[in-house]
Amino acid sequence: MAASLGPAGVGGAGPSGFAFDSGLEIKTRSVEQTLLPLVSQITTLINHKDNTKKSDKTLQAIQRVGQAVNLAVGRFVKVGEAIANENWDLKEEITIACIEAKQAGETIAALTDISSLNHPESDGQITIFTDKTGVIKAARLLLSSVTKVLLLADRVVIKQIITSRNKVLATMERLEKVNSFQEFVQIFSQFGNEMVEFAHLTGDRQNDLKDEKKKAKMAAARAVLEKCTMMLLTASKTCLRHPNCESAHKNKEGVFDRMKVALDKVIEIVTDCKPSGETDMSSVSIFTGIKEFKMNIEALRENLYFQSKEDLSATLEVILERTEDFTDSAYTSHEHRERILELSTQARLELRQLISVWIQSQSKKTKSIAEELELSVLKISHSLNELKKELHSTATQLAADLLKYHADHVVLKALKLTGVEGNLEGLAEYACKLSEQKEQLVEACRLLRHISGTEPLEITCVHAEETFQVTGQQIISAAETLTLHPSSKIAKENLDVFCEAWESQISDISTLLREINDVFEGRRGEKYGYLSLPRPMKNNANLKSLKADKPDSEEQAKIAKLGLKLGLLTSDANCEIKKWEDQENEIVRNGRNMSSMAYSLYLFTRGEGPLKTSQDLIHQLEVFAEEGLKLASNVQVFSKQLKDDDKLMLLLEINKLSPLCHQLQTITKTPLQNQVFLKVDKCITKTRSMMAILVQLLSLCYKLLKKLQMENNRWVSVTNKDSMDAYHLEH
């Protein structure tokens, strides 16, 4: 959904230059992912034992690896050269790095070209067996040059995002000053195209971010832009219709201000720079503080002089001071407040006892003192765990109660009704009630942040808090405008849009609460999508992309044929899985998961099963690709136990699987407007290829495991026989 920022009623795929650049980024990423698995194979080549017998199979495998490396480098260089031609300021640096990469790839291919090694005339030929240093140098040059190209390409992407942001800001300034509907429609159409471009670039960037904290921040900023784009449309139209209405102008200014902050936040993330003097979130959450404190006291087991007693006491006081957010809250029950205060007092007492024993243990090194120190550490850890449980219970109970109480959105409905009736007294009454509701939800988000358990969830809590704070005020100003102009259709539409944003955020809090509970209870098996990712609203034209797609009869027949082959491959995979004695083996687990998902895809092609829309399918494919990469990783770990010949054979199969996984990920993330069938077709074709490799891998791994077990058993048998012979000789 990288391109979902397009506003309702404003289409366009963006300038052609943007589409080319985005394609370059996807190609670069794809080729990079193709090269990475080959690095392990180069390592295998370098570590190949010179004195081992060179079978034909080994020679062929080595030559295939060398050729594969050279081909991947060739593709990479082509993309690098294309980037260089589009960016003259970096052309020289990229070109030099591409030349180095090409030379390294050709060297590796030449040194592994051993097809004629067993022929008499090849005695003087330089190969990997005669010049291992050459392969090492070439591999180092290859990795160095590829890294250089990728870093330069990254600079290009950052520059594109900054340029795109600047274009959006410039158009927004024009939109703020517009005075006529005709001019507004013209400029807003351009703004829509620019937002689509910005969405593509930031969506790709978000997918590439490795830091989960940055990824969550980017998702939050993009969510603001997604929702504010629709708000900007209706708020601006309301201002144009009612130019002398103060509340309409206030409403519109709020939208523009929030969008500018979100745009700046995106640039801050991609450039990794904060404005001077700005600090990260207000304070560390209580759960994060407790986690760090426990690590510090547990370190005393290894080192009694790890830190000072004063620092430890100060750290605990900071944590307990933050619990005042709970005890001072008007929404915390008397029972919860008393229990939190009681546990805080207990934690202080336990720390005093720990410090007392700690001082003794520094002078006395007896066993009893060591045991007493261990007991003190366990006691304070237990007290803090109990405090965590109480805080978690307090925050989640408040959030759940609020969600239940406000589920029917009575206040929003009342505000809409008072607006169309022109009832100013009713507006004042329900605006006050919405402000109360806003304060309750903001307080709940603050408490949830303390107990969220992970940094991405903390960021989501902060985002939710800000959204309620800002949207609450904007709903009131939109309702005031409608009340002053009760017959205005655009004012009514504007209020509806802000109310939908509020309802959407309430729904997100429900999902957030479930995630926080999963993390707390340690059952977070499956990753949820980021809550703050853009999600279409009721009025958004992008909803079209989420409807069930109806391909024509020819397309249905093609998908059904692909699905049938996929179904047969799942049967083959299940047969291979049944052969394994250890059904809990990681490779078997990965295979079983992939087979199960592939079967769901097969059912989808028949119009059956749990997957109902193309969006369900795409999500399933993303998980399927991740599982494929896990399988490749586990097979690679297994290959380290094998001899060189068997290891190379297995690595070649992995080299087929990993690129397919990355290609599938790229296809699922690449938007194809009005070409849903084409996307589904490509995805199922890739899935079928991956399943074919899975069947081969399961069979090969099973055979190699059996071979390994037989060799180990033979070694044990020989060792036992030698021991018995030695025993008989002695006696």
Side-chain angles (χ1 to χ4, degrees):
M1 297 266 300
S4 62
L5 295 188
V10 182
S16 58
F18 157 69
F20 179 66
D21 288 335
S22 179
L24 280 178
E25 187 183 359
I26 291 167
K27 286 177 189 172
T28 306
R29 195 185 315 130
S30 176
V31 178
E32 173 198 358
Q33 290 159 346
T34 305
L35 278 169
L36 290 178
L38 295 172
V39 173
S40 63
Q41 296 186 26
I42 294 169
T43 307
T44 304
L45 291 177
I46 292 167
N47 295 332
H48 198 281
K49 297 179 182 65
D50 296 329
N51 55 358
T52 55
K53 185 181 177 183
K54 307 175 191 69
S55 66
D56 287 342
K57 190 191 293 183
T58 303
L59 296 176
Q60 288 168 11
I62 288 171
Q63 185 166 7
R64 282 202 300 274
V65 171
Q67 289 171 347
V69 170
N70 195 28
L71 283 171
V73 171
R75 290 195 296 272
F76 186 87
V77 166
K78 280 184 182 176
V79 176
E81 288 169 347
I83 295 172
N85 290 332
E86 289 291 310
N87 298 273
W88 288 92
D89 52 332
L90 297 174
K91 184 171 183 178
E92 187 178 350
E93 290 179 82
I94 296 175
T95 302
I96 291 169
C98 285
I99 291 168
E100 289 175 354
K102 192 174 181 181
Q103 287 172 347
E106 288 171 352
T107 301
I108 289 170
L111 290 171
T112 53
D113 183 13
I114 48 181
S115 54
S116 58
L117 193 64
N118 292 329
H119 297 259
E121 61 271 19
S122 67
D123 289 345
Q125 184 182 349
I126 298 173
T127 70
I128 185 173
F129 298 112
T130 60
D131 186 15
K132 189 169 286 188
T133 307
V135 176
I136 294 170
K137 284 182 180 176
R140 284 177 180 164
L141 179 62
L142 175 61
L143 293 175
S144 168
S145 53
V146 165
T147 303
K148 202 180 294 180
V149 172
L150 292 173
L151 288 171
L152 291 166
D154 194 59
R155 279 167 58 185
V156 171
V157 173
I158 291 170
K159 188 175 75 173
Q160 287 173 352
I161 292 173
I162 293 171
T163 303
S164 179
R165 189 281 305 255
N166 291 342
K167 286 195 311 190
V168 169
L169 271 178
T171 309
M172 279 176 65
E173 284 180 17
R174 291 173 62 201
L175 280 171
E176 280 187 278
K177 298 170 184 173
V178 75
N179 291 315
S180 71
F181 268 108
Q182 188 176 358
E183 188 184 1
F184 172 77
V185 170
Q186 184 183 353
I187 298 172
F188 195 83
S189 178
Q190 179 188 337
F191 174 74
N193 288 335
E194 288 168 357
M195 285 299 287
V196 168
E197 175 181 337
F198 191 71
H200 275 294
L201 291 169
T202 54
D204 287 340
R205 189 68 179 181
Q206 182 179 309
N207 291 331
D208 288 340
L209 287 170
K210 301 294 186 288
D211 186 329
E212 290 297 314
K213 189 174 175 181
K214 285 184 181 177
K215 190 174 275 194
K217 283 184 176 181
M218 178 72 91
R222 293 181 73 243
V224 170
L225 295 170
E226 164 75 10
K227 291 176 181 176
C228 282
T229 300
M230 173 57 72
M231 294 173 184
L232 186 144
L233 174 62
T234 56
S236 297
K237 283 164 69 177
T238 305
C239 261
L240 288 168
R241 183 64 55 86
H242 309 289
N244 300 319
C245 183
E246 188 180 334
S247 58
H249 283 282
K250 183 181 175 183
N251 183 258
K252 172 186 158 186
E253 285 164 11
V255 178
F256 275 96
D257 289 345
R258 197 161 189 229
M259 287 190 82
K260 287 172 186 174
V261 170
L263 288 165
D264 288 343
K265 182 63 72 176
V266 169
I267 300 306
E268 178 190 311
I269 295 162
V270 298
T271 58
D272 211 13
C273 294
K274 284 185 193 150
S276 57
E278 186 179 312
T279 55
D280 215 345
M281 288 183 289
S282 56
S283 63
V284 176
S285 71
I286 295 173
F287 271 29
T288 303
I290 289 175
K291 183 181 177 183
E292 291 172 359
F293 179 81
K294 284 171 72 176
M295 286 169 63
N296 288 339
I297 60 170
E298 285 165 7
L300 294 174
R301 292 165 174 156
E302 305 296 327
N303 184 356
L304 293 172
Y305 304 94
F306 174 66
Q307 60 194 322
S308 70
K309 295 171 281 296
E310 292 77 16
D311 285 349
L312 206 57
S313 297
T315 304
L316 181 64
E317 282 308 313
V318 169
I319 293 167
L320 298 181
E321 189 179 315
R322 287 182 191 138
T323 63
E324 290 173 9
D325 287 352
F326 288 77
T327 54
D328 291 350
S329 173
Y331 308 109
T332 301
S333 69
H334 177 71
E335 292 78 11
H336 280 306
R337 185 176 291 108
E338 288 298 309
R339 181 65 177 149
I340 292 167
L341 291 170
E342 180 189 327
L343 289 167
S344 297
T345 303
Q346 188 177 334
R348 285 191 182 96
L349 292 172
E350 298 289 2
L351 180 60
R352 282 185 204 141
Q353 176 62 23
L354 172 65
I355 289 171
S356 173
V357 177
W358 181 12
I359 292 169
Q360 291 179 55
S361 63
Q362 287 177 332
S363 56
K364 299 176 185 177
K365 306 291 182 183
T366 63
K367 185 179 178 183
S368 60
I369 288 290
E371 288 174 352
E372 200 173 339
L373 180 66
E374 177 65 22
L375 184 62
S376 297
V377 169
L378 292 173
K379 276 185 177 180
I380 192 168
S381 292
H382 176 71
S383 294
L384 291 172
N385 285 338
E386 289 300 306
L387 179 60
K388 279 178 67 177
K389 285 179 187 176
E390 193 61 33
L391 296 173
H392 178 269
S393 173
T394 304
T396 54
Q397 188 177 317
L398 171 62
D401 289 346
L402 287 174
L403 288 172
K404 188 176 179 182
Y405 185 70
H406 298 304
D408 50 5
H409 305 294
V410 171
V411 177
L412 296 183
K413 290 172 184 174
L415 278 170
K416 291 178 185 179
L417 187 60
T418 56
V420 294
E421 289 175 349
N423 182 355
L424 287 168
E425 288 182 10
L427 169 68
E429 178 189 346
Y430 288 108
C432 185
K433 287 186 177 180
L434 184 68
S435 294
E436 288 175 13
Q437 184 179 329
K438 178 194 73 177
E439 290 306 318
Q440 291 169 355
L441 289 164
V442 164
E443 184 76 1
C445 291
R446 284 178 187 155
L447 299 186
L448 286 174
R449 185 179 85 79
H450 276 305
I451 59 103
S452 55
T454 68
E455 284 188 325
L457 288 178
E458 277 188 46
I459 290 159
T460 305
C461 290
V462 172
H463 166 67
E465 181 186 333
E466 290 170 354
T467 300
F468 283 127
Q469 198 75 267
V470 175
T471 311
Q473 290 300 323
Q474 289 177 314
I475 288 173
I476 292 169
S477 61
E480 186 180 337
T481 304
L482 178 59
T483 309
L484 293 170
H485 307 278
S487 60
S488 172
K489 288 183 181 178
I490 184 58
K492 183 178 182 300
E493 182 189 353
N494 187 46
L495 178 58
D496 286 341
V497 166
F498 284 98
C499 288
E500 284 168 20
W502 181 274
E503 291 170 18
S504 171
Q505 193 58 56
I506 291 274
S507 175
D508 280 352
I509 289 293
S510 177
T511 312
L512 172 63
L513 191 57
R514 189 170 70 246
E515 277 214 44
I516 289 171
N517 282 327
D518 283 354
V519 170
F520 185 76
E521 293 167 20
R523 59 165 191 259
R524 194 175 185 185
E526 186 177 330
K527 277 191 177 180
Y528 291 97
Y530 283 99
L531 298 177
S532 48
L533 276 173
R535 191 171 65 186
M537 296 158 67
K538 292 175 190 173
N539 288 26
N540 201 324
N542 290 323
L543 267 177
K544 292 173 185 175
S545 64
L546 295 180
K547 292 177 181 175
D549 307 295
K550 294 183 179 179
D552 59 34
S553 56
E554 187 179 335
E555 291 172 343
Q556 281 180 329
K558 187 176 180 183
I559 288 178
K561 188 177 179 183
L562 286 170
L564 183 60
K565 292 176 181 176
L566 192 59
L568 293 171
L569 284 167
T570 59
S571 298
D572 293 342
N574 291 337
C575 289
E576 291 298 333
I577 288 167
K578 286 176 185 175
K579 293 179 185 177
W580 291 66
E581 293 167 11
D582 180 10
Q583 287 292 306
E584 295 305 308
N585 182 291
E586 288 299 322
I587 293 171
V588 174
R589 282 188 180 187
N590 297 140
R592 193 186 300 118
N593 290 342
M594 289 177 73
S595 181
S596 173
M597 285 185 270
Y599 188 71
S600 295
L601 301 176
Y602 158 65
L603 291 176
F604 174 83
T605 63
R606 295 166 53 110
E608 301 170 7
L611 309 178
K612 303 299 180 189
T613 68
S614 57
Q615 287 298 317
D616 294 339
L617 176 72
I618 297 304
H619 174 70
Q620 182 80 92
L621 288 163
E622 287 171 352
V623 180
F624 181 79
E626 284 177 19
E627 197 68 33
L629 290 170
K630 288 178 189 174
L631 172 69
S633 175
N634 286 326
V635 172
Q636 197 159 352
V637 170
F638 169 64
S639 72
K640 291 175 183 175
Q641 305 172 44
L642 306 173
K643 292 181 179 177
D644 284 347
D645 286 5
D646 294 338
K647 187 175 184 178
L648 274 170
M649 199 189 320
L650 205 53
L651 287 173
L652 282 167
E653 290 302 316
I654 298 172
N655 186 46
K656 295 176 189 173
L657 178 64
S658 295
L660 284 171
C661 294
H662 293 302
Q663 287 164 22
L664 183 59
Q665 286 179 327
T666 301
I667 294 169
T668 58
K669 290 167 185 172
T670 305
L672 286 173
Q673 254 182 342
N674 303 322
Q675 296 185 46
V676 176
F677 165 73
L678 180 61
K679 188 167 184 173
V680 171
D681 179 32
K682 283 184 177 181
C683 286
I684 293 179
T685 302
K686 292 289 179 195
T687 306
R688 198 183 72 187
S689 301
M690 288 169 66
M691 283 300 294
I693 294 169
L694 170 65
V695 173
Q696 292 173 11
L697 268 174
L698 286 168
S699 174
L700 184 58
C701 286
Y702 176 75
K703 289 173 185 173
L704 293 173
L705 180 64
K706 285 291 180 186
K707 182 180 175 183
L708 189 65
Q709 288 170 344
M710 284 175 66
E711 287 173 354
N712 289 341
N713 290 339
R714 193 180 301 123
W715 184 83
V716 171
S717 176
V718 169
T719 305
N720 289 342
K721 185 176 183 301
D722 289 346
S723 299
M724 288 299 293
D725 290 346
Y727 174 81
H728 288 307
L729 283 170
E730 287 175 10
H731 295 79

